[in-house]
Amino acid sequence: MLSSPWARFYSNSCCLCCHVRTGTIILGVWYLIINSVVLLILLSALTDPDQYHLTSAELGGEFEFMDDANMCIATAISLLMILICAMATYGAYKQHAAWIIPFFCYQIFDFALNTLVAISVLVYPSTIQDYLRQLPNNFPYKEEIMSVNPTCLVVIILLFISIILAFKGYLISCVWNCYRYINSRNNSDVLVYITTNDTAVLLPPYDDPANGAAKDPPPPYVSA
């Protein structure tokens, strides 16, 4: 029996120890906690701007760390992420496959951005040195990082990004398998409901194979 190539990557296990539904719930709760902490930091920064506001002199550049417009945008993004993570957690817990789709789309978008970063580092390796020069002078280990051989630094960064991409790809497969599991389970429940509530009626003529003669049909019955 032939199967699609995507079916080879389908599995109900996650992290080799738990179900994909449980893994999706844990992942949604983890993202929910992280974005809630980020939201609290942003709200505290909005209420007390002087605590998180760094001038251009402190940064050693010609830009500011965070202005009010960027803070509002970051707060809105955090609220949206909290909503998406809450929907994914609820959808996996209540087995509503459609609620998981926004979180899955976010994972694909995040994976695509990290892939573009890796491609840009590979194509334009000099951008790493330019980015390091723009960092503040009091940035931790700035001089040590800049003293590393540029080729070795590019290889280390690409290796680090590759590990992150592999991990994100595995999480994407877990959420996708959870979506498929819930979707197939709901479809099978509908089929079972239709089968158990189907009405079968025997119509004449009804031939008895043993006697070879026609008989009166039995009364209609409902299959259980």
Side-chain angles (χ1 to χ4, degrees):
M1 194 174 177
L2 297 177
S3 59
S4 61
W6 293 103
R8 302 175 184 176
F9 302 97
Y10 177 70
S11 175
N12 288 337
S13 62
C14 176
C15 298
L16 305 177
C17 59
C18 62
H19 198 272
V20 289
R21 181 166 165 259
T22 305
T24 303
I25 293 174
I26 296 174
L27 184 62
V29 172
W30 174 250
Y31 272 86
L32 190 62
I33 293 174
I34 293 177
N35 288 279
S36 299
V37 172
V38 173
L39 180 62
L40 291 176
I41 295 175
L42 292 174
L43 291 177
S44 62
L46 287 175
T47 56
D48 190 7
D50 295 333
Q51 182 179 359
Y52 296 90
H53 182 78
L54 297 178
T55 61
S56 58
E58 292 175 343
L59 290 174
E62 298 179 354
F63 57 90
E64 293 183 351
F65 177 68
M66 186 72 75
D67 55 7
D68 293 336
N70 292 331
M71 294 287 286
C72 293
I73 294 174
T75 303
I77 293 175
S78 297
L79 288 173
L80 180 61
M81 285 301 307
I82 290 175
L83 178 61
I84 292 175
C85 297
M87 289 176 60
T89 305
Y90 178 81
Y93 180 73
K94 291 295 185 178
Q95 300 189 21
H96 298 309
W99 290 65
I100 306 177
I101 295 178
F103 184 72
F104 178 75
C105 294
Y106 158 73
Q107 286 184 303
I108 296 296
F109 179 74
D110 182 60
F111 185 85
L113 286 181
N114 285 271
T115 304
L116 290 177
V117 171
I119 294 175
S120 64
V121 171
L122 183 62
V123 176
Y124 303 103
S126 60
T127 56
I128 300 176
Q129 298 293 331
D130 297 337
Y131 176 76
L132 292 175
R133 295 189 190 97
Q134 295 177 1
L135 293 175
N137 295 326
N138 56 355
F139 188 82
Y141 305 105
K142 177 182 177 180
E143 298 297 332
E144 289 79 358
I145 296 175
M146 293 189 65
S147 61
V148 179
N149 188 6
T151 304
C152 295
L153 186 61
V154 170
V155 172
I156 292 173
I157 292 177
L158 287 177
L159 181 62
F160 181 72
I161 296 177
S162 300
I163 295 174
I164 293 178
L165 288 177
F167 182 70
K168 288 181 178 293
Y170 179 74
L171 295 180
I172 290 174
S173 65
C174 292
V175 176
W176 172 248
N177 289 336
C178 177
Y179 171 80
R180 290 191 58 183
Y181 167 77
I182 295 175
N183 198 23
S184 61
R185 182 182 177 87
N186 293 337
N187 291 335
S188 63
D189 291 342
V190 171
L191 291 176
V192 170
Y193 176 79
I194 294 175
T195 304
T196 54
N197 290 274
D198 190 16
T199 302
V201 180
L202 294 179
L203 299 176
Y206 177 75
D207 294 333
D208 187 5
N211 300 329
K215 296 173 59 179
D216 294 334
Y221 68 95
V222 178
S223 60

